[in-house]
Amino acid sequence: GRDIRGHNSALFRCDKAMMRPQFYDKFLCTGDKCTDNCCIGWEIDIDKPAMERFAKVPGEFGERLRSAIHGGKQPTFALASGDRCALLREDGLCELILHCGDGILCDICALHPRFFNEFGEVREAGLGLCCEEVCRLMFSSSEPLEFTLDEDDKAALSGDDEYTGLLRRARGEMFAALQDRRLPVAERLSRCAEFAWQIQEALELEQPLPGVPQEYPDIFTPEEVSRLLGTLSAMESINQEWADTLERLTQRQEELLEALPEFLGETGGEWRYEHIAVYFLYRHFTDCLSDGAVYARTMVACCSAAAVMLMDCMRWKDSGALSEWDRILDLKLYSKQVEYSEENTAEFIAEYD
């Protein structure tokens, strides 16, 4: 795998304190051992500094590089047959890296699957669940997920303004509610959804943050599951595999919902859906600073855990077993569909806003 810490992206030059999940520093791209390929099936946006670097590449390869880019307001790498990046060789190696080295890459190519969010004086880093190695790392421990700051960086938290501080505290309390293993995971997801609704109301009315609710509506009713699957169905599909999976989920939702208690009892591993909800909340909650959509962004987290649970249940019903690899494949496919299309993420948020 490539070590990209020396890349010239401003994201790596930032002097801000950086929070990250406890498995972040263990990540290394598995390269040709990966069953997927990040250079196939994606339209890669090219940032302006990278375009400036590309413009200076001399000779025959420089011409080939520039011809492999779609221009316009947002330049992207062209896709060749099979939706492969035009610079991806048949042996899976990148012509750009081979000719020019890692340092020339655009931010997305250099940083993927890393993501960075700004939350007050802290930059929050993470690894996207569209990557099977990231899913494996997240599922490598059943201990509750933790997000860490270096000891020297913890003072940055005192720089939060009042609103940022309230949101950070609210998210921390929702993390705790999701990780309260005295309750079954389905109840925790439902309780967190109601908690987010009450937090949203308190913020809008400028009232103190509420405590964790003891009563909460169930988000695993037929009506709520139908709403979730309908929301997913309204999105543009990332690929045919997702379209087929969603169609089967929709056709079998009543059967799967009925089978969930037996599925969870026989396969164990409720903590995996806890991890998914917590991680989605970590990734998507920070934008509440700009849009105030506390409830909607929390519902993305809780409903995503529910959706992956239904996908896993369907695999289990069909084969009588569910391997760790099956779980990774389901989570990876779901993340690609929902998290890696800005339009799809926005549609999800709009449904619950």
Side-chain angles (χ1 to χ4, degrees):
R2 291 184 294 112
D3 184 345
I4 47 77
R5 284 172 293 181
H7 186 262
N8 54 20
S9 169
L11 291 168
F12 280 101
R13 295 197 306 270
C14 179
D15 292 329
K16 268 190 170 184
M18 192 170 82
M19 183 176 285
R20 57 203 180 276
Q22 76 263 41
F23 56 81
Y24 183 86
D25 295 327
K26 298 177 183 177
F27 175 77
L28 193 64
C29 173
T30 57
D32 59 2
K33 297 182 180 67
C34 184
T35 67
D36 215 335
N37 192 310
C38 300
C39 306
I40 299 175
W42 301 96
E43 288 186 354
I44 305 298
D45 292 346
I46 305 171
D47 53 280
K48 187 176 178 181
M51 284 294 289
E52 292 171 356
R53 294 193 294 273
F54 297 166
K56 297 174 184 176
V57 176
E60 184 180 341
F61 178 70
E63 293 301 316
R64 169 158 164 61
L65 165 61
R66 289 181 283 276
S67 70
I69 294 171
H70 286 313
K73 186 176 180 181
Q74 175 55 70
T76 62
F77 284 113
L79 296 180
S81 175
D83 280 347
R84 297 169 65 89
C85 174
L87 296 174
L88 179 65
R89 300 195 331 180
E90 285 303 317
D91 61 5
L93 298 177
C94 171
E95 284 192 67
L96 185 55
I97 292 176
L98 291 173
H99 280 86
C100 304
D102 290 358
I104 198 171
L105 292 175
C106 65
D107 279 355
I108 289 178
C109 290
L111 303 176
H112 185 78
R114 296 161 184 82
F115 63 83
F116 301 90
N117 294 321
E118 306 300 325
F119 203 7
E121 295 303 309
V122 176
R123 168 160 288 161
E124 297 194 344
L127 299 157
L129 296 173
C130 65
C131 169
E132 61 197 46
E133 175 63 7
V134 176
C135 296
R136 187 195 69 78
L137 284 170
M138 189 176 77
F139 285 161
S140 65
S141 172
S142 62
E143 291 300 306
L145 281 184
E146 294 181 0
F147 304 96
T148 61
L149 274 171
D150 291 338
E151 198 63 38
D152 292 345
D153 288 339
K154 290 182 178 178
L157 296 174
S158 63
D160 284 348
D161 60 34
E162 183 179 3
Y163 186 61
T164 303
L166 280 172
L167 288 177
R168 194 184 301 280
R169 183 156 64 88
R171 189 183 63 172
E173 292 180 8
M174 285 193 284
F175 283 160
L178 287 168
Q179 293 173 330
D180 181 357
R181 296 183 179 179
R182 294 173 298 178
L183 294 176
V185 70
E187 288 194 35
R188 284 182 266 155
L189 295 172
S190 297
R191 183 164 73 158
C192 187
E194 174 63 20
F195 193 16
W197 179 267
Q198 294 183 14
I199 290 169
Q200 178 93 57
E201 285 191 324
L203 290 173
E204 290 176 356
L205 297 172
E206 298 184 354
Q207 294 177 347
L209 292 181
V212 181
Q214 300 308 307
E215 296 183 1
Y216 35 87
D218 186 4
I219 66 169
F220 285 88
T221 63
E223 294 78 17
E224 286 300 322
V225 170
S226 181
R227 181 185 182 188
L228 167 59
L229 295 177
T231 302
L232 295 172
S233 297
M235 300 175 186
E236 182 180 358
S237 292
I238 188 76
N239 56 30
Q240 193 58 46
E241 181 187 6
W242 169 257
D244 293 343
T245 299
L246 183 57
E247 182 178 6
R248 290 187 293 121
L249 282 174
T250 302
Q251 290 171 348
R252 299 172 61 184
Q253 58 185 289
E254 187 175 332
E255 168 202 355
L256 297 173
L257 193 53
E258 189 175 325
L260 274 182
E262 183 185 1
F263 160 69
L264 292 169
E266 289 202 10
T267 60
E270 286 198 354
W271 57 268
R272 291 180 177 84
Y273 307 110
E274 169 196 307
H275 280 11
I276 293 169
V278 167
Y279 201 67
F280 267 73
L281 192 59
Y282 174 73
R283 176 165 191 174
H284 296 285
F285 191 80
T286 54
D287 279 339
C288 290
L289 280 173
S290 57
D291 64 18
V294 170
Y295 176 70
R297 292 185 175 279
T298 304
M299 286 302 285
V300 169
C302 295
C303 289
S304 292
V308 177
M309 191 188 301
L310 290 167
M311 292 168 70
D312 287 350
C313 182
M314 185 165 67
R315 277 190 189 261
W316 172 77
K317 287 280 290 182
D318 290 344
S319 66
L322 186 71
S323 68
E324 190 75 359
W325 180 241
D326 290 333
R327 294 179 187 271
I328 287 171
L329 290 178
D330 283 344
L331 178 54
K332 178 177 75 166
L333 178 61
Y334 180 86
S335 174
K336 283 185 177 183
Q337 169 63 23
V338 171
E339 296 190 285
Y340 285 84
S341 163
E342 290 183 5
E343 292 80 9
N344 287 351
T345 305
E347 193 156 343
F348 209 145
I349 292 166
E351 170 62 27
Y352 291 95
D353 197 9

